């Protein structure tokens, strides 16, 4: 079974802090994704990566950056956290090919105060 | 730009009923359509994936269908149980790697 893990289930940070959210997958997937989920807005893609050191902006990249130094690990960075980044953050991975089936981690509930 | 819609936003049915969840999408040139389940405060669990060349997929009590020409997919749940209570999300991919999600249907099965 594919396993996608995220470093924290709950996180509380202060405005202006630099925040790192970590995601690790154990299935040698090329593709990894970061989404945020908000009531009424659904899931929105922040960034994705299709290989080590490769990244592409999603629909809402402003205020975020990412890092992928190893295939299994994809980090989301909030350079200077703001209250409007309070959200549920979900990481996913997939293997490129016809199926493109995405597997999700348990999520990190981030609160910025 | 692909848009995915799920109606209704919430559904409540008694235990044992068969039910259908609906998903519609605006761009029929999809790679696949995926159905997920999400329990409160948790991540997404993949239920079924239908490739663009397929019409349906089945897993246990779940059956998902796909009609690209009409831009619709349905998720059929047979003999519903209280443990089926969750939010169900559909997502389609037009650009191969990217999923576009619907807002979800919150399903409650009453004992």
């Amino acid at each position: 079974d594919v396993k996608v893990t995220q470093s924290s289930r709950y996180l509380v940070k202060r405005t202006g802090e630099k925040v790192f959210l970590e995601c690790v997958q154990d299935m040698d997937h090329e593709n990894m994704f970061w989404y945020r989920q908000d009531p009424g807005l659904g899931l929105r893609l922040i960034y994705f990566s299709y290989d080590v050191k490769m990244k592409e902006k999603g629909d809402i990249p402003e205020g975020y950056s990412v890092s992928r130094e190893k295939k299994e690990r994809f980090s989301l960075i909030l350079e200077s956290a703001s209250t409007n980044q309070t959200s549920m953050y979900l990481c996913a991975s997939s293997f490129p090919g016809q199926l493109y089936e995405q597997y999700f981690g348990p999520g990190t509930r981030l609160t910025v105060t | 730009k692909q848009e995915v819609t799920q109606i209704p936003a919430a559904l409540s049915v008694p235990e044992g009923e068969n039910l259908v969840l609906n998903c519609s999408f605006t761009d029929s040139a999809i790679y696949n359509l995926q159905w997920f389940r999400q329990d409160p405060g948790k991540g997404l669990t993949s239920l079924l994936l239908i490739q663009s060349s397929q019409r349906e997929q089945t897993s246990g009590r779940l059956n998902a269908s796909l009609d690209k020409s009409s831009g619709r997919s349905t998720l059929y749940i047979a003999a519903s149980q209280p443990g089926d209570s969750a939010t169900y999300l559909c997502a389609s991919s037009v650009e191969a790697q990217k999923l576009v999600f619907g807002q979800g249907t919150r399903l409650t099965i009453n004992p």
Side-chain angles (χ1 to χ4, degrees):
Chain A
D1 277 355
V2 177
K3 189 155 188 182
V4 181
T5 58
Q6 294 183 230
S7 52
S8 305
R9 290 300 314 278
Y10 301 95
L11 208 53
V12 180
K13 296 292 182 180
R14 298 204 172 184
T15 301
E17 278 193 79
K18 191 169 186 175
V19 181
F20 291 86
L21 302 182
E22 305 284 339
C23 175
V24 177
Q25 51 92 5
D26 66 357
M27 281 301 291
D28 206 33
H29 283 173
E30 268 79 5
N31 302 326
M32 297 188 75
F33 308 83
W34 276 106
Y35 297 87
R36 64 177 283 176
Q37 185 177 29
D38 301 286
L41 296 175
L43 273 90
R44 294 177 291 168
L45 181 64
I46 305 171
Y47 267 99
F48 77 97
S49 168
Y50 47 92
D51 204 349
V52 174
K53 297 190 185 295
M54 307 300 285
K55 62 186 179 184
E56 192 167 317
K57 292 180 181 179
D59 299 319
I60 51 163
E62 296 79 18
Y64 303 94
S65 62
V66 291
S67 172
R68 191 155 180 214
E69 297 295 320
K70 293 185 177 182
K71 192 175 187 180
E72 67 270 18
R73 188 179 298 269
F74 191 34
S75 302
L76 180 70
I77 304 159
L78 287 65
E79 297 291 343
S80 178
S82 63
T83 55
N84 64 12
Q85 292 178 309
T86 291
S87 186
M88 170 71 107
Y89 289 87
L90 293 160
C91 174
S93 71
S94 74
F95 191 76
Q98 192 173 2
L99 292 183
Y100 298 106
E101 186 170 5
Q102 290 193 18
Y103 298 87
F104 281 77
T108 295
R109 171 74 64 185
L110 173 67
T111 302
V112 182
T113 61
Chain B
K1 184 180 177 184
Q2 177 76 296
E3 292 182 6
V4 179
T5 304
Q6 292 184 251
I7 295 173
L11 182 64
S12 181
V13 301
E15 181 178 2
E17 278 202 6
N18 303 324
L19 60 99
V20 174
L21 305 180
N22 296 298
C23 172
S24 62
F25 46 93
T26 54
D27 188 339
S28 62
I30 62 172
Y31 281 85
N32 63 41
L33 189 131
Q34 203 167 351
W35 282 93
F36 296 89
R37 168 188 173 134
Q38 186 176 32
D39 293 291
K42 302 287 180 66
L44 278 65
T45 300
S46 179
L47 297 173
L48 290 165
L49 181 145
I50 311 176
Q51 297 176 55
S52 61
S53 58
Q54 296 176 322
R55 297 280 297 187
E56 65 180 310
Q57 279 287 338
T58 298
S59 175
R61 294 183 294 109
L62 305 180
N63 175 276
S65 68
L66 175 64
D67 183 344
K68 287 199 305 178
S69 62
S70 65
R72 291 183 181 179
S73 176
T74 62
L75 179 67
Y76 174 83
I77 302 177
S80 58
Q81 303 170 358
D84 295 330
S85 297
T87 296
Y88 290 81
L89 296 148
C90 71
S92 72
S93 59
V94 177
E95 296 178 60
Q97 320 232 37
K98 298 182 185 177
L99 289 177
V100 177
F101 284 83
Q103 297 270 358
T105 295
R106 189 173 68 252
L107 176 65
T108 303
I109 307 298
N110 301 303

